[in-house]
Amino acid sequence: MSTSEATEQKLKRALTTPMLTLYGLGVTVGAGIYVLVGATAQIAGPYAAFSFVVAALVVSLTALSYAELATRYPVSAGEAAYVAAGFQRDWMAVVVGLAVAASGVISASAIAIGAASYLHALTGFGTPLLTMGVVLIMGLIALWGITESVFIAAVITVIEIAGLLFVIGWGVSVHDPQGYAVTSMIPPLESGAWKSIFAASLLAFFAFVGFEDMANVAEEVKEPTRTIPKAILLTLALATVLYLGTSITVLNVVPIDVLANSAAPLALVFSEAPETIKKGFSAVAIVATVNGVLIQMIMASRVIYGLADRGHLPKVLAIVPKATRTPIVATLLVVATILLLTQTLPIGLLAERTSQIVLGVFVLVNLSLILLKRAPAKAEQHFDVPLIVPVLGVLTSSLLFAAGFL
């Protein structure tokens, strides 16, 4: 097949509401909640669970903006298209698109290192080698096809969610919890408590990073005007309930001094459990992190494909072979970049940079919707939110970004 024939192939509309919701949950519910409860507890103490509520409120406002924009412009490289339409500046669209792709690549790199660390504990093999193996295997799945990739991710997502439900169920059955009483987790109206909550919310925000990736597969969604808003809101609602239940359980069962210093906080709930249950949960945690790598790869490659398809990047990156109907060159570039980052940068720095990039993109996306809403209305059918939603989205995303410097 010639290059010109390959680039003429378009992505396949195959994703329904259940599949898109599982896709969103797969990238949202994963490495974040599995590793960040301890870090948020170190900052916010008994109020760590409330940090996830604050992060959810910030994310929900921007999620509603995404729901409208994704139905206005149901294309790959969604954020780039939104900014181009709102600001009428092509260079801004390219910058935002590259920032979104970078956030996916950097996030996948952090998650891959985490997955390899869990695997190292079970197998004893070197972490760098395991990291490369995780990235390459997930890259092959991403190249396979969107339906196949999302189906595999959906199956893994069900396992991830079952793992969190198991944490909650096991925690409830613990007879002598060593952590905080549930009543002591409600924050008082004191500035010191809320300062720590907001500071921890930036970390908790990382656990919600992913819902926006759903906008970047919009070109592969059936009936996007109806499907995308439902899937985005379902993803956030389910993720928030799971996060709140999980964080409350861990804070209740595990002593704070042990929890705050753990890189695998959910496993601490099973400290008194039989060895088979401990190993079984470790396997689920590995699956959870690996899934995040796959879905971030899918998202980043679609953004790069979308930019190339619109002439903002070299056309070779928009090649879509007929056999797979996936952006093969863009995916290979993403995989190669992730391999480089995992071998050169630490996981903490990667996670921090991901949150900062995503929050910056959120501000620009909300500003774009404000500008579009102020322009003359077009007779197009799309999901619609009040103007106050993107205004609050700009404000809350900016405040959460600033909270990282408290």
Side-chain angles (χ1 to χ4, degrees):
M1 180 185 295
S2 69
T3 299
S4 61
E5 289 174 329
T7 53
E8 288 174 2
Q9 290 291 332
K10 294 297 181 182
L11 303 176
K12 179 183 177 183
R13 290 199 180 276
L15 302 180
T16 59
T17 300
M19 290 294 286
L20 185 59
T21 302
L22 284 170
Y23 173 87
L25 284 169
V27 72
T28 306
V29 179
I33 190 62
Y34 273 82
V35 302
L36 289 178
V37 176
T40 56
Q42 190 172 35
I43 298 171
Y47 315 126
F50 215 81
S51 297
F52 287 94
V53 175
V54 172
L57 291 173
V58 172
V59 170
S60 63
L61 290 165
T62 298
L64 288 168
S65 294
Y66 267 88
E68 175 168 338
L69 287 164
T71 56
R72 282 178 180 251
Y73 309 100
V75 295
S76 295
E79 289 95 340
Y82 311 155
V83 171
F87 287 90
Q88 298 295 307
R89 297 287 187 275
D90 284 344
W91 68 268
M92 286 186 68
V94 176
V95 170
V96 168
L98 291 175
V100 171
S103 73
V105 168
I106 296 169
S107 176
S109 303
I111 296 168
I113 294 171
S117 298
Y118 276 113
L119 282 167
H120 170 72
L122 286 180
T123 65
F125 290 111
T127 301
L129 182 63
L130 290 170
T131 303
M132 292 177 65
V134 167
V135 173
L136 291 173
I137 292 170
M138 293 302 105
L140 288 173
I141 295 173
L143 287 167
W144 187 8
I146 186 63
T147 305
E148 294 81 3
S149 298
V150 174
F151 175 75
I152 290 171
V155 171
I156 296 174
T157 298
V158 172
I159 296 172
E160 291 175 356
I161 293 171
L164 294 181
L165 292 174
F166 188 50
V167 168
I168 296 169
W170 189 272
V172 170
S173 70
V174 172
H175 295 298
D176 185 24
Q178 300 296 306
Y180 296 107
V182 174
T183 53
S184 68
M185 298 181 196
I186 301 171
L189 297 175
E190 297 175 0
S191 60
W194 284 96
K195 182 178 179 180
S196 64
I197 288 169
F198 284 121
S201 294
L202 183 63
L203 276 176
F205 173 83
F206 183 77
F208 287 93
V209 169
F211 84 87
E212 73 281 0
D213 294 356
M214 300 162 77
N216 290 307
V217 294
E219 207 166 315
E220 296 160 277
V221 174
K222 292 181 178 179
E223 300 183 44
T225 302
R226 295 176 55 193
T227 301
I228 294 172
K230 287 195 294 184
I232 287 177
L233 295 176
L234 274 171
T235 295
L236 280 184
L238 292 171
T240 302
V241 170
L242 283 169
Y243 289 178
L244 195 56
T246 302
S247 55
I248 288 172
T249 299
V250 178
L251 286 163
N252 176 243
V253 173
V254 183
I256 185 63
D257 57 332
V258 177
L259 178 61
N261 296 308
S262 175
L266 303 194
L268 298 175
V269 174
F270 303 99
S271 60
E272 303 299 325
E275 196 63 28
T276 52
I277 290 179
K278 291 181 182 178
K279 289 184 177 179
F281 183 77
S282 294
V284 170
I286 291 168
V287 167
T289 50
V290 165
N291 197 33
V293 177
L294 172 60
I295 297 181
Q296 292 286 14
M297 279 182 177
I298 295 171
M299 180 278 287
S301 63
R302 268 51 176 188
V303 174
I304 292 171
Y305 158 83
L307 290 172
D309 193 47
R310 291 164 183 76
H312 299 307
L313 292 176
K315 272 291 184 182
V316 68
L317 293 169
I319 291 178
V320 178
K322 188 175 182 179
T324 62
R325 299 286 290 274
T326 58
I328 185 169
V329 180
T331 303
L332 289 173
L333 175 62
V334 166
V335 171
T337 307
I338 293 171
L339 282 172
L340 176 64
L341 291 176
T342 57
Q343 303 303 308
T344 56
L345 294 176
I347 187 170
L349 181 62
L350 292 167
E352 183 181 338
R353 293 293 176 266
T354 300
S355 291
Q356 291 173 330
I357 292 171
V358 172
L359 282 167
V361 170
F362 280 7
V363 171
L364 289 175
V365 166
N366 281 297
L367 286 172
S368 298
L369 184 55
I370 292 170
L371 293 172
L372 287 167
K373 282 183 168 295
R374 291 171 61 86
K378 296 181 180 179
E380 296 176 354
Q381 184 180 6
H382 58 74
F383 184 74
D384 189 62
V385 297
L387 179 60
I388 190 64
V389 169
V391 170
L392 290 174
V394 171
L395 180 62
T396 54
S397 296
S398 300
L399 288 174
L400 189 56
F401 184 88
F405 299 98
L406 293 176

